[in-house]
Amino acid sequence: MPAPLDIKVRAVHPDDATAILRVHEQSIRELGPTGYAPEEVESWAAGLRAEGYVEEMASGETLLVAEAESRIVGFGGLKSEEINTLYVAPEMARRGVGSALLQSLESIARDRGRRRLRLTATLIGEPFYRRHGYRELDRRKHPTRGGILIDSVVMEKDLAA
Ligand SMILES: CC(C)(COP(=O)(O)OP(=O)(O)OC[C@H]1O[C@@H](n2cnc3c(N)ncnc32)[C@H](O)[C@@H]1OP(=O)(O)O)[C@@H](O)C(=O)NCCC(=O)NCCS
């Protein structure tokens, strides 16, 4: 079993975009196949651009990164009452990085007076979010950037509970 990771969560810096893009692509391509067919994974990974993170922040997303071993190993975003992105580098999966990011995002949402959080989980994220107290509201086909619809789960957590 690997040693516990020293994980630091912080706000994004403008020059993080390339490292975030690398984590995003690797996470989809290497963790995605545990829940989806190859063509679904490719459609999910299609069209990612480093500028996209900056654009999302300009449109109101709060984006955090997790660092461990002196590099970015995950990122997550919050917009209004929604966790709208959360990805962990595949070689760091199941070492608490996703939990550290999610707890920081929930804490920010609470500080802003939000009473609940929603998200659309992938089939890979579903057990992770259940573990963190999210409950299923609906199952849907969710559009990916490449156009293919993939199975997903709409989930919600009451932050006051
Ligand atoms: C979902 C994701 C963010 C989880 O990140 P992570 O850093 O691996 O999660 P953690 O190590 O914090 O996991 C915490 C707990 O969640 C549950 N969990 C996490 N991944 C799981 C999995 N693949 N299967 C079952 N349970 C899982 C476990 O209870 C785990 O605790 P344990 O490892 O002690 O058993 C990561 O798998 C990922 O990036 N997936 C690909 C992208 C994706 O689908 N993102 C979600 C978009 S909505």
Side-chain angles (χ1 to χ4, degrees), residues 1 23-24 27-28 30-32 34 36 44 73 75 83-90 92-101 119-132 153:
M1 195 169 173
V23 168
H24 202 167
S27 183
I28 295 172
E30 293 180 40
L31 298 175
T34 59
Y36 297 99
W44 183 9
V73 294
F75 67 97
I83 302 288
N84 62 350
T85 189
L86 185 59
Y87 288 84
V88 170
M92 293 291 180
R94 301 300 288 263
R95 297 186 68 187
V97 175
S99 297
L101 283 162
L119 53 88
T120 303
T122 60
L123 299 181
I124 300 146
E126 182 188 355
F128 166 80
Y129 289 117
R130 277 190 200 285
R131 171 74 191 270
H132 284 280
V153 190

mmCIF file of all heavy atoms in Angstrom, residues 1 23-24 27-28 30-32 34 36 44 73 75 83-90 92-101 119-132 153, ligand 1:
data_model
loop_
_atom_site.group_PDB
_atom_site.id
_atom_site.type_symbol
_atom_site.label_atom_id
_atom_site.label_comp_id
_atom_site.label_asym_id
_atom_site.label_seq_id
_atom_site.Cartn_x
_atom_site.Cartn_y
_atom_site.Cartn_z
ATOM 1 N N MET A 1 0.845 -1.196 0.000
ATOM 2 C CA MET A 1 0.000 0.000 0.000
ATOM 3 C C MET A 1 0.885 1.253 0.000
ATOM 4 O O MET A 1 1.806 1.335 0.801
ATOM 5 C CB MET A 1 -0.885 -0.021 1.254
ATOM 6 C CG MET A 1 -2.027 0.952 1.190
ATOM 7 S SD MET A 1 -3.167 0.615 2.556
ATOM 8 C CE MET A 1 -4.250 1.992 2.385
ATOM 9 N N VAL A 23 -3.877 16.399 -16.902
ATOM 10 C CA VAL A 23 -4.594 15.552 -15.939
ATOM 11 C C VAL A 23 -5.973 15.182 -16.492
ATOM 12 O O VAL A 23 -6.402 14.023 -16.422
ATOM 13 C CB VAL A 23 -4.757 16.292 -14.579
ATOM 14 C CG1 VAL A 23 -5.748 15.568 -13.678
ATOM 15 C CG2 VAL A 23 -3.408 16.425 -13.885
ATOM 16 N N HIS A 24 -6.647 16.156 -17.084
ATOM 17 C CA HIS A 24 -7.997 15.939 -17.613
ATOM 18 C C HIS A 24 -7.982 14.822 -18.673
ATOM 19 O O HIS A 24 -8.756 13.857 -18.599
ATOM 20 C CB HIS A 24 -8.474 17.265 -18.221
ATOM 21 C CG HIS A 24 -9.961 17.398 -18.329
ATOM 22 N ND1 HIS A 24 -10.570 18.593 -18.588
ATOM 23 C CD2 HIS A 24 -10.966 16.492 -18.235
ATOM 24 C CE1 HIS A 24 -11.872 18.414 -18.632
ATOM 25 N NE2 HIS A 24 -12.141 17.152 -18.434
ATOM 26 N N SER A 27 -6.948 11.377 -17.178
ATOM 27 C CA SER A 27 -7.990 10.832 -16.311
ATOM 28 C C SER A 27 -9.100 10.201 -17.151
ATOM 29 O O SER A 27 -9.526 9.067 -16.897
ATOM 30 C CB SER A 27 -8.534 11.960 -15.426
ATOM 31 O OG SER A 27 -9.497 11.470 -14.531
ATOM 32 N N ILE A 28 -9.545 10.919 -18.175
ATOM 33 C CA ILE A 28 -10.612 10.369 -19.029
ATOM 34 C C ILE A 28 -10.122 9.110 -19.742
ATOM 35 O O ILE A 28 -10.791 8.069 -19.739
ATOM 36 C CB ILE A 28 -11.080 11.412 -20.056
ATOM 37 C CG1 ILE A 28 -11.744 12.604 -19.361
ATOM 38 C CG2 ILE A 28 -12.058 10.775 -21.062
ATOM 39 C CD1 ILE A 28 -12.074 13.766 -20.279
ATOM 40 N N GLU A 30 -7.638 7.030 -19.137
ATOM 41 C CA GLU A 30 -7.192 5.854 -18.377
ATOM 42 C C GLU A 30 -8.231 5.364 -17.363
ATOM 43 O O GLU A 30 -8.331 4.167 -17.117
ATOM 44 C CB GLU A 30 -5.859 6.146 -17.686
ATOM 45 C CG GLU A 30 -4.761 6.313 -18.736
ATOM 46 C CD GLU A 30 -3.391 6.597 -18.149
ATOM 47 O OE1 GLU A 30 -3.056 5.980 -17.124
ATOM 48 O OE2 GLU A 30 -2.672 7.435 -18.723
ATOM 49 N N LEU A 31 -9.014 6.275 -16.804
ATOM 50 C CA LEU A 31 -10.055 5.832 -15.858
ATOM 51 C C LEU A 31 -11.391 5.619 -16.571
ATOM 52 O O LEU A 31 -12.197 4.792 -16.158
ATOM 53 C CB LEU A 31 -10.221 6.853 -14.725
ATOM 54 C CG LEU A 31 -8.972 7.078 -13.849
ATOM 55 C CD1 LEU A 31 -9.205 8.195 -12.833
ATOM 56 C CD2 LEU A 31 -8.565 5.793 -13.132
ATOM 57 N N GLY A 32 -11.604 6.342 -17.674
ATOM 58 C CA GLY A 32 -12.865 6.254 -18.409
ATOM 59 C C GLY A 32 -13.247 4.842 -18.851
ATOM 60 O O GLY A 32 -14.418 4.457 -18.742
ATOM 61 N N THR A 34 -13.088 2.109 -17.481
ATOM 62 C CA THR A 34 -13.704 1.241 -16.469
ATOM 63 C C THR A 34 -15.229 1.361 -16.488
ATOM 64 O O THR A 34 -15.924 0.504 -15.951
ATOM 65 C CB THR A 34 -13.184 1.559 -15.040
ATOM 66 O OG1 THR A 34 -13.492 2.930 -14.745
ATOM 67 C CG2 THR A 34 -11.697 1.353 -14.920
ATOM 68 N N TYR A 36 -16.971 2.986 -19.533
ATOM 69 C CA TYR A 36 -17.512 3.329 -20.853
ATOM 70 C C TYR A 36 -16.770 2.626 -21.987
ATOM 71 O O TYR A 36 -15.601 2.260 -21.845
ATOM 72 C CB TYR A 36 -17.429 4.849 -21.054
ATOM 73 C CG TYR A 36 -18.268 5.608 -20.063
ATOM 74 C CD1 TYR A 36 -17.693 6.172 -18.932
ATOM 75 C CD2 TYR A 36 -19.651 5.712 -20.241
ATOM 76 C CE1 TYR A 36 -18.470 6.847 -17.991
ATOM 77 C CE2 TYR A 36 -20.427 6.384 -19.305
ATOM 78 C CZ TYR A 36 -19.834 6.950 -18.190
ATOM 79 O OH TYR A 36 -20.616 7.595 -17.272
ATOM 80 N N TRP A 44 -15.792 11.728 -25.015
ATOM 81 C CA TRP A 44 -15.676 12.458 -23.753
ATOM 82 C C TRP A 44 -14.391 13.310 -23.748
ATOM 83 O O TRP A 44 -14.383 14.466 -23.294
ATOM 84 C CB TRP A 44 -15.678 11.429 -22.628
ATOM 85 C CG TRP A 44 -15.647 11.906 -21.218
ATOM 86 C CD1 TRP A 44 -15.780 13.186 -20.761
ATOM 87 C CD2 TRP A 44 -15.479 11.075 -20.066
ATOM 88 N NE1 TRP A 44 -15.688 13.193 -19.389
ATOM 89 C CE2 TRP A 44 -15.510 11.926 -18.940
ATOM 90 C CE3 TRP A 44 -15.306 9.694 -19.868
ATOM 91 C CZ2 TRP A 44 -15.364 11.422 -17.637
ATOM 92 C CZ3 TRP A 44 -15.170 9.207 -18.587
ATOM 93 C CH2 TRP A 44 -15.203 10.067 -17.487
ATOM 94 N N VAL A 73 -2.212 17.090 -9.480
ATOM 95 C CA VAL A 73 -2.684 15.703 -9.614
ATOM 96 C C VAL A 73 -4.211 15.619 -9.674
ATOM 97 O O VAL A 73 -4.767 14.527 -9.716
ATOM 98 C CB VAL A 73 -2.144 14.808 -8.480
ATOM 99 C CG1 VAL A 73 -0.628 14.672 -8.577
ATOM 100 C CG2 VAL A 73 -2.552 15.358 -7.108
ATOM 101 N N PHE A 75 -8.089 18.301 -10.277
ATOM 102 C CA PHE A 75 -8.730 19.618 -10.275
ATOM 103 C C PHE A 75 -10.240 19.426 -10.146
ATOM 104 O O PHE A 75 -10.779 18.363 -10.475
ATOM 105 C CB PHE A 75 -8.375 20.433 -11.537
ATOM 106 C CG PHE A 75 -8.931 19.870 -12.802
ATOM 107 C CD1 PHE A 75 -10.119 20.356 -13.342
ATOM 108 C CD2 PHE A 75 -8.294 18.831 -13.469
ATOM 109 C CE1 PHE A 75 -10.655 19.839 -14.512
ATOM 110 C CE2 PHE A 75 -8.814 18.302 -14.640
ATOM 111 C CZ PHE A 75 -9.989 18.810 -15.167
ATOM 112 N N ILE A 83 -21.299 21.054 -8.719
ATOM 113 C CA ILE A 83 -19.922 20.605 -8.948
ATOM 114 C C ILE A 83 -19.883 20.261 -10.434
ATOM 115 O O ILE A 83 -20.527 19.299 -10.870
ATOM 116 C CB ILE A 83 -19.604 19.326 -8.125
ATOM 117 C CG1 ILE A 83 -19.806 19.558 -6.624
ATOM 118 C CG2 ILE A 83 -18.206 18.808 -8.442
ATOM 119 C CD1 ILE A 83 -18.785 20.412 -5.957
ATOM 120 N N ASN A 84 -19.191 21.054 -11.225
ATOM 121 C CA ASN A 84 -19.307 20.779 -12.663
ATOM 122 C C ASN A 84 -18.067 20.160 -13.275
ATOM 123 O O ASN A 84 -18.083 19.838 -14.469
ATOM 124 C CB ASN A 84 -19.780 22.017 -13.456
ATOM 125 C CG ASN A 84 -18.830 23.165 -13.351
ATOM 126 O OD1 ASN A 84 -17.915 23.110 -12.542
ATOM 127 N ND2 ASN A 84 -19.026 24.185 -14.143
ATOM 128 N N THR A 85 -17.038 19.924 -12.485
ATOM 129 C CA THR A 85 -15.905 19.154 -12.993
ATOM 130 C C THR A 85 -15.096 18.624 -11.813
ATOM 131 O O THR A 85 -14.965 19.301 -10.792
ATOM 132 C CB THR A 85 -15.041 20.032 -13.944
ATOM 133 O OG1 THR A 85 -14.074 19.239 -14.596
ATOM 134 C CG2 THR A 85 -14.344 21.150 -13.218
ATOM 135 N N LEU A 86 -14.584 17.396 -11.937
ATOM 136 C CA LEU A 86 -13.712 16.812 -10.905
ATOM 137 C C LEU A 86 -12.925 15.657 -11.527
ATOM 138 O O LEU A 86 -13.521 14.662 -11.950
ATOM 139 C CB LEU A 86 -14.545 16.324 -9.714
ATOM 140 C CG LEU A 86 -13.766 15.806 -8.502
ATOM 141 C CD1 LEU A 86 -12.843 16.863 -7.917
ATOM 142 C CD2 LEU A 86 -14.718 15.328 -7.418
ATOM 143 N N TYR A 87 -11.628 15.821 -11.597
ATOM 144 C CA TYR A 87 -10.785 14.810 -12.245
ATOM 145 C C TYR A 87 -9.501 14.609 -11.461
ATOM 146 O O TYR A 87 -8.900 15.585 -10.990
ATOM 147 C CB TYR A 87 -10.413 15.251 -13.672
ATOM 148 C CG TYR A 87 -11.582 15.186 -14.619
ATOM 149 C CD1 TYR A 87 -12.488 16.236 -14.707
ATOM 150 C CD2 TYR A 87 -11.793 14.062 -15.398
ATOM 151 C CE1 TYR A 87 -13.583 16.171 -15.546
ATOM 152 C CE2 TYR A 87 -12.886 13.986 -16.245
ATOM 153 C CZ TYR A 87 -13.774 15.040 -16.315
ATOM 154 O OH TYR A 87 -14.856 14.963 -17.153
ATOM 155 N N VAL A 88 -9.075 13.355 -11.384
ATOM 156 C CA VAL A 88 -7.843 13.004 -10.675
ATOM 157 C C VAL A 88 -6.912 12.269 -11.641
ATOM 158 O O VAL A 88 -7.375 11.462 -12.470
ATOM 159 C CB VAL A 88 -8.193 12.129 -9.444
ATOM 160 C CG1 VAL A 88 -6.946 11.532 -8.817
ATOM 161 C CG2 VAL A 88 -8.965 12.960 -8.422
ATOM 162 N N ALA A 89 -5.626 12.557 -11.552
ATOM 163 C CA ALA A 89 -4.646 11.855 -12.397
ATOM 164 C C ALA A 89 -4.746 10.360 -12.121
ATOM 165 O O ALA A 89 -4.811 9.945 -10.963
ATOM 166 C CB ALA A 89 -3.239 12.364 -12.084
ATOM 167 N N PRO A 90 -4.757 9.535 -13.175
ATOM 168 C CA PRO A 90 -5.023 8.107 -12.970
ATOM 169 C C PRO A 90 -4.054 7.423 -12.016
ATOM 170 O O PRO A 90 -4.461 6.568 -11.231
ATOM 171 C CB PRO A 90 -4.938 7.518 -14.385
ATOM 172 C CG PRO A 90 -4.342 8.582 -15.252
ATOM 173 C CD PRO A 90 -4.603 9.879 -14.589
ATOM 174 N N MET A 92 -2.822 8.562 -9.457
ATOM 175 C CA MET A 92 -3.090 9.008 -8.076
ATOM 176 C C MET A 92 -4.494 8.626 -7.612
ATOM 177 O O MET A 92 -4.939 9.066 -6.535
ATOM 178 C CB MET A 92 -2.934 10.530 -7.980
ATOM 179 C CG MET A 92 -1.527 11.007 -8.178
ATOM 180 S SD MET A 92 -0.492 10.495 -6.785
ATOM 181 C CE MET A 92 1.080 11.190 -7.288
ATOM 182 N N ALA A 93 -5.215 7.844 -8.409
ATOM 183 C CA ALA A 93 -6.584 7.480 -8.034
ATOM 184 C C ALA A 93 -6.590 6.650 -6.752
ATOM 185 O O ALA A 93 -5.653 5.927 -6.442
ATOM 186 C CB ALA A 93 -7.240 6.691 -9.169
ATOM 187 N N ARG A 94 -7.668 6.774 -5.985
ATOM 188 C CA ARG A 94 -7.908 6.055 -4.728
ATOM 189 C C ARG A 94 -6.877 6.388 -3.656
ATOM 190 O O ARG A 94 -6.557 5.555 -2.813
ATOM 191 C CB ARG A 94 -7.949 4.529 -4.953
ATOM 192 C CG ARG A 94 -9.016 4.054 -5.916
ATOM 193 C CD ARG A 94 -10.427 4.395 -5.498
ATOM 194 N NE ARG A 94 -10.945 3.636 -4.371
ATOM 195 C CZ ARG A 94 -11.705 2.568 -4.502
ATOM 196 N NH1 ARG A 94 -12.017 2.118 -5.703
ATOM 197 N NH2 ARG A 94 -12.197 1.948 -3.443
ATOM 198 N N ARG A 95 -6.369 7.632 -3.698
ATOM 199 C CA ARG A 95 -5.426 8.062 -2.648
ATOM 200 C C ARG A 95 -5.911 9.339 -1.958
ATOM 201 O O ARG A 95 -5.132 10.037 -1.327
ATOM 202 C CB ARG A 95 -4.032 8.235 -3.235
ATOM 203 C CG ARG A 95 -3.480 6.908 -3.784
ATOM 204 C CD ARG A 95 -2.065 7.020 -4.236
ATOM 205 N NE ARG A 95 -1.143 7.243 -3.121
ATOM 206 C CZ ARG A 95 0.149 7.508 -3.276
ATOM 207 N NH1 ARG A 95 0.664 7.580 -4.492
ATOM 208 N NH2 ARG A 95 0.930 7.705 -2.229
ATOM 209 N N GLY A 96 -7.205 9.634 -2.132
ATOM 210 C CA GLY A 96 -7.783 10.743 -1.374
ATOM 211 C C GLY A 96 -7.769 12.092 -2.071
ATOM 212 O O GLY A 96 -8.234 13.088 -1.507
ATOM 213 N N VAL A 97 -7.254 12.163 -3.307
ATOM 214 C CA VAL A 97 -7.167 13.455 -3.997
ATOM 215 C C VAL A 97 -8.568 13.984 -4.319
ATOM 216 O O VAL A 97 -8.885 15.149 -4.063
ATOM 217 C CB VAL A 97 -6.325 13.330 -5.290
ATOM 218 C CG1 VAL A 97 -6.347 14.639 -6.073
ATOM 219 C CG2 VAL A 97 -4.896 12.921 -4.958
ATOM 220 N N GLY A 98 -9.421 13.106 -4.885
ATOM 221 C CA GLY A 98 -10.784 13.531 -5.216
ATOM 222 C C GLY A 98 -11.534 13.987 -3.969
ATOM 223 O O GLY A 98 -12.232 15.009 -3.979
ATOM 224 N N SER A 99 -11.353 13.268 -2.867
ATOM 225 C CA SER A 99 -12.041 13.643 -1.616
ATOM 226 C C SER A 99 -11.567 15.002 -1.120
ATOM 227 O O SER A 99 -12.381 15.821 -0.667
ATOM 228 C CB SER A 99 -11.778 12.593 -0.533
ATOM 229 O OG SER A 99 -12.316 11.355 -0.926
ATOM 230 N N ALA A 100 -10.264 15.259 -1.200
ATOM 231 C CA ALA A 100 -9.728 16.551 -0.733
ATOM 232 C C ALA A 100 -10.324 17.690 -1.558
ATOM 233 O O ALA A 100 -10.713 18.737 -1.015
ATOM 234 C CB ALA A 100 -8.208 16.538 -0.829
ATOM 235 N N LEU A 101 -10.409 17.501 -2.869
ATOM 236 C CA LEU A 101 -10.979 18.539 -3.735
ATOM 237 C C LEU A 101 -12.467 18.738 -3.433
ATOM 238 O O LEU A 101 -12.940 19.871 -3.308
ATOM 239 C CB LEU A 101 -10.787 18.151 -5.204
ATOM 240 C CG LEU A 101 -9.384 18.369 -5.763
ATOM 241 C CD1 LEU A 101 -9.194 17.567 -7.050
ATOM 242 C CD2 LEU A 101 -9.113 19.853 -6.016
ATOM 243 N N LEU A 119 -24.848 17.614 -9.068
ATOM 244 C CA LEU A 119 -23.843 17.289 -10.074
ATOM 245 C C LEU A 119 -24.381 16.197 -10.983
ATOM 246 O O LEU A 119 -25.349 15.510 -10.645
ATOM 247 C CB LEU A 119 -22.542 16.829 -9.401
ATOM 248 C CG LEU A 119 -22.647 15.698 -8.380
ATOM 249 C CD1 LEU A 119 -22.534 14.342 -9.050
ATOM 250 C CD2 LEU A 119 -21.578 15.861 -7.325
ATOM 251 N N THR A 120 -23.752 16.086 -12.134
ATOM 252 C CA THR A 120 -24.048 14.980 -13.038
ATOM 253 C C THR A 120 -22.826 14.079 -13.030
ATOM 254 O O THR A 120 -21.768 14.451 -13.539
ATOM 255 C CB THR A 120 -24.337 15.487 -14.461
ATOM 256 O OG1 THR A 120 -25.429 16.422 -14.385
ATOM 257 C CG2 THR A 120 -24.727 14.347 -15.382
ATOM 258 N N ALA A 121 -22.962 12.924 -12.384
ATOM 259 C CA ALA A 121 -21.814 12.033 -12.190
ATOM 260 C C ALA A 121 -21.671 11.070 -13.347
ATOM 261 O O ALA A 121 -22.664 10.589 -13.900
ATOM 262 C CB ALA A 121 -21.985 11.232 -10.899
ATOM 263 N N THR A 122 -20.424 10.770 -13.680
ATOM 264 C CA THR A 122 -20.168 9.654 -14.578
ATOM 265 C C THR A 122 -20.406 8.363 -13.791
ATOM 266 O O THR A 122 -20.494 8.379 -12.549
ATOM 267 C CB THR A 122 -18.704 9.665 -15.046
ATOM 268 O OG1 THR A 122 -17.869 9.563 -13.877
ATOM 269 C CG2 THR A 122 -18.379 10.933 -15.823
ATOM 270 N N LEU A 123 -20.454 7.240 -14.498
ATOM 271 C CA LEU A 123 -20.607 5.960 -13.806
ATOM 272 C C LEU A 123 -19.375 5.674 -12.949
ATOM 273 O O LEU A 123 -19.463 4.942 -11.958
ATOM 274 C CB LEU A 123 -20.819 4.836 -14.834
ATOM 275 C CG LEU A 123 -22.063 5.002 -15.709
ATOM 276 C CD1 LEU A 123 -22.177 3.825 -16.677
ATOM 277 C CD2 LEU A 123 -23.336 5.144 -14.877
ATOM 278 N N ILE A 124 -18.246 6.282 -13.308
ATOM 279 C CA ILE A 124 -17.008 6.096 -12.534
ATOM 280 C C ILE A 124 -17.072 6.918 -11.245
ATOM 281 O O ILE A 124 -16.618 6.490 -10.185
ATOM 282 C CB ILE A 124 -15.800 6.523 -13.390
ATOM 283 C CG1 ILE A 124 -15.762 5.672 -14.650
ATOM 284 C CG2 ILE A 124 -14.493 6.408 -12.619
ATOM 285 C CD1 ILE A 124 -15.257 6.406 -15.841
ATOM 286 N N GLY A 125 -17.657 8.101 -11.347
ATOM 287 C CA GLY A 125 -17.746 8.971 -10.181
ATOM 288 C C GLY A 125 -18.856 8.575 -9.216
ATOM 289 O O GLY A 125 -18.814 8.930 -8.040
ATOM 290 N N GLU A 126 -19.854 7.823 -9.690
ATOM 291 C CA GLU A 126 -21.053 7.555 -8.875
ATOM 292 C C GLU A 126 -20.743 6.959 -7.490
ATOM 293 O O GLU A 126 -21.217 7.495 -6.479
ATOM 294 C CB GLU A 126 -22.001 6.640 -9.667
ATOM 295 C CG GLU A 126 -23.273 6.351 -8.922
ATOM 296 C CD GLU A 126 -24.127 5.286 -9.626
ATOM 297 O OE1 GLU A 126 -23.760 4.842 -10.741
ATOM 298 O OE2 GLU A 126 -25.150 4.910 -9.036
ATOM 299 N N PRO A 127 -19.929 5.871 -7.400
ATOM 300 C CA PRO A 127 -19.663 5.335 -6.041
ATOM 301 C C PRO A 127 -18.894 6.311 -5.159
ATOM 302 O O PRO A 127 -19.099 6.362 -3.935
ATOM 303 C CB PRO A 127 -18.846 4.058 -6.301
ATOM 304 C CG PRO A 127 -18.408 4.121 -7.718
ATOM 305 C CD PRO A 127 -19.318 5.046 -8.445
ATOM 306 N N PHE A 128 -18.040 7.111 -5.786
ATOM 307 C CA PHE A 128 -17.283 8.134 -5.046
ATOM 308 C C PHE A 128 -18.239 9.152 -4.426
ATOM 309 O O PHE A 128 -18.148 9.481 -3.237
ATOM 310 C CB PHE A 128 -16.298 8.798 -6.022
ATOM 311 C CG PHE A 128 -15.689 10.083 -5.533
ATOM 312 C CD1 PHE A 128 -14.625 10.068 -4.653
ATOM 313 C CD2 PHE A 128 -16.171 11.308 -5.978
ATOM 314 C CE1 PHE A 128 -14.056 11.261 -4.206
ATOM 315 C CE2 PHE A 128 -15.619 12.495 -5.542
ATOM 316 C CZ PHE A 128 -14.560 12.472 -4.647
ATOM 317 N N TYR A 129 -19.190 9.638 -5.216
ATOM 318 C CA TYR A 129 -20.115 10.644 -4.694
ATOM 319 C C TYR A 129 -21.068 10.041 -3.659
ATOM 320 O O TYR A 129 -21.427 10.697 -2.679
ATOM 321 C CB TYR A 129 -20.892 11.294 -5.837
ATOM 322 C CG TYR A 129 -20.034 12.213 -6.686
ATOM 323 C CD1 TYR A 129 -19.802 11.944 -8.028
ATOM 324 C CD2 TYR A 129 -19.453 13.348 -6.132
ATOM 325 C CE1 TYR A 129 -19.008 12.784 -8.802
ATOM 326 C CE2 TYR A 129 -18.662 14.189 -6.898
ATOM 327 C CZ TYR A 129 -18.446 13.903 -8.232
ATOM 328 O OH TYR A 129 -17.661 14.737 -8.976
ATOM 329 N N ARG A 130 -21.491 8.795 -3.878
ATOM 330 C CA ARG A 130 -22.340 8.137 -2.868
ATOM 331 C C ARG A 130 -21.606 8.088 -1.528
ATOM 332 O O ARG A 130 -22.177 8.365 -0.475
ATOM 333 C CB ARG A 130 -22.676 6.707 -3.296
ATOM 334 C CG ARG A 130 -23.817 6.624 -4.244
ATOM 335 C CD ARG A 130 -24.275 5.172 -4.439
ATOM 336 N NE ARG A 130 -25.024 5.090 -5.659
ATOM 337 C CZ ARG A 130 -26.271 5.535 -5.812
ATOM 338 N NH1 ARG A 130 -26.906 6.067 -4.802
ATOM 339 N NH2 ARG A 130 -26.873 5.436 -6.981
ATOM 340 N N ARG A 131 -20.343 7.736 -1.608
ATOM 341 C CA ARG A 131 -19.513 7.661 -0.399
ATOM 342 C C ARG A 131 -19.486 9.018 0.328
ATOM 343 O O ARG A 131 -19.372 9.074 1.558
ATOM 344 C CB ARG A 131 -18.107 7.222 -0.805
ATOM 345 C CG ARG A 131 -17.053 7.283 0.260
ATOM 346 C CD ARG A 131 -17.215 6.153 1.271
ATOM 347 N NE ARG A 131 -16.366 6.378 2.420
ATOM 348 C CZ ARG A 131 -15.126 5.944 2.529
ATOM 349 N NH1 ARG A 131 -14.588 5.231 1.552
ATOM 350 N NH2 ARG A 131 -14.418 6.203 3.601
ATOM 351 N N HIS A 132 -19.606 10.093 -0.454
ATOM 352 C CA HIS A 132 -19.573 11.437 0.128
ATOM 353 C C HIS A 132 -20.964 11.999 0.427
ATOM 354 O O HIS A 132 -21.116 13.202 0.642
ATOM 355 C CB HIS A 132 -18.793 12.382 -0.786
ATOM 356 C CG HIS A 132 -17.310 12.162 -0.688
ATOM 357 N ND1 HIS A 132 -16.556 12.679 0.338
ATOM 358 C CD2 HIS A 132 -16.456 11.450 -1.449
ATOM 359 C CE1 HIS A 132 -15.295 12.300 0.192
ATOM 360 N NE2 HIS A 132 -15.206 11.554 -0.883
ATOM 361 N N VAL A 153 -25.452 10.006 -13.951
ATOM 362 C CA VAL A 153 -26.352 9.993 -12.802
ATOM 363 C C VAL A 153 -26.424 11.398 -12.203
ATOM 364 O O VAL A 153 -25.402 11.951 -11.801
ATOM 365 C CB VAL A 153 -25.840 9.015 -11.707
ATOM 366 C CG1 VAL A 153 -26.899 8.821 -10.629
ATOM 367 C CG2 VAL A 153 -25.421 7.692 -12.305
HETATM 368 C C1 LIG B 1 -14.168 9.988 -9.426
HETATM 369 C C2 LIG B 1 -12.742 10.421 -9.052
HETATM 370 C C3 LIG B 1 -12.657 11.944 -9.094
HETATM 371 C C4 LIG B 1 -12.446 9.924 -7.616
HETATM 372 O O1 LIG B 1 -11.180 10.456 -7.198
HETATM 373 P P1 LIG B 1 -10.196 9.652 -6.214
HETATM 374 O O2 LIG B 1 -9.106 10.576 -5.817
HETATM 375 O O3 LIG B 1 -9.789 8.380 -6.850
HETATM 376 O O4 LIG B 1 -11.151 9.334 -4.997
HETATM 377 P P2 LIG B 1 -10.744 9.083 -3.453
HETATM 378 O O5 LIG B 1 -9.423 8.394 -3.377
HETATM 379 O O6 LIG B 1 -10.864 10.377 -2.728
HETATM 380 O O7 LIG B 1 -11.923 8.072 -3.032
HETATM 381 C C5 LIG B 1 -12.687 8.216 -1.851
HETATM 382 C C6 LIG B 1 -13.658 7.056 -1.742
HETATM 383 O O8 LIG B 1 -14.603 7.110 -2.818
HETATM 384 C C7 LIG B 1 -14.927 5.764 -3.233
HETATM 385 N N1 LIG B 1 -14.406 5.522 -4.580
HETATM 386 C C8 LIG B 1 -13.547 6.289 -5.291
HETATM 387 N N2 LIG B 1 -13.329 5.740 -6.515
HETATM 388 C C9 LIG B 1 -14.059 4.605 -6.550
HETATM 389 C C10 LIG B 1 -14.246 3.588 -7.528
HETATM 390 N N3 LIG B 1 -13.625 3.645 -8.730
HETATM 391 N N4 LIG B 1 -15.046 2.544 -7.242
HETATM 392 C C11 LIG B 1 -15.668 2.452 -6.042
HETATM 393 N N5 LIG B 1 -15.531 3.394 -5.066
HETATM 394 C C12 LIG B 1 -14.746 4.449 -5.317
HETATM 395 C C13 LIG B 1 -14.217 4.847 -2.231
HETATM 396 O O9 LIG B 1 -15.096 4.660 -1.137
HETATM 397 C C14 LIG B 1 -13.021 5.697 -1.841
HETATM 398 O O10 LIG B 1 -12.470 5.328 -0.590
HETATM 399 P P3 LIG B 1 -11.424 4.085 -0.512
HETATM 400 O O11 LIG B 1 -10.421 4.273 -1.604
HETATM 401 O O12 LIG B 1 -10.859 4.222 0.877
HETATM 402 O O13 LIG B 1 -12.244 2.852 -0.705
HETATM 403 C C15 LIG B 1 -11.695 9.771 -9.997
HETATM 404 O O14 LIG B 1 -11.957 8.388 -10.077
HETATM 405 C C16 LIG B 1 -11.703 10.316 -11.414
HETATM 406 O O15 LIG B 1 -11.032 11.298 -11.712
HETATM 407 N N6 LIG B 1 -12.444 9.632 -12.341
HETATM 408 C C17 LIG B 1 -12.434 9.946 -13.757
HETATM 409 C C18 LIG B 1 -13.143 11.239 -14.046
HETATM 410 C C19 LIG B 1 -14.557 11.226 -13.547
HETATM 411 O O16 LIG B 1 -15.353 10.342 -13.849
HETATM 412 N N7 LIG B 1 -14.864 12.254 -12.783
HETATM 413 C C20 LIG B 1 -16.174 12.447 -12.240
HETATM 414 C C21 LIG B 1 -16.856 13.399 -13.129
HETATM 415 S S1 LIG B 1 -18.477 13.664 -12.480
#
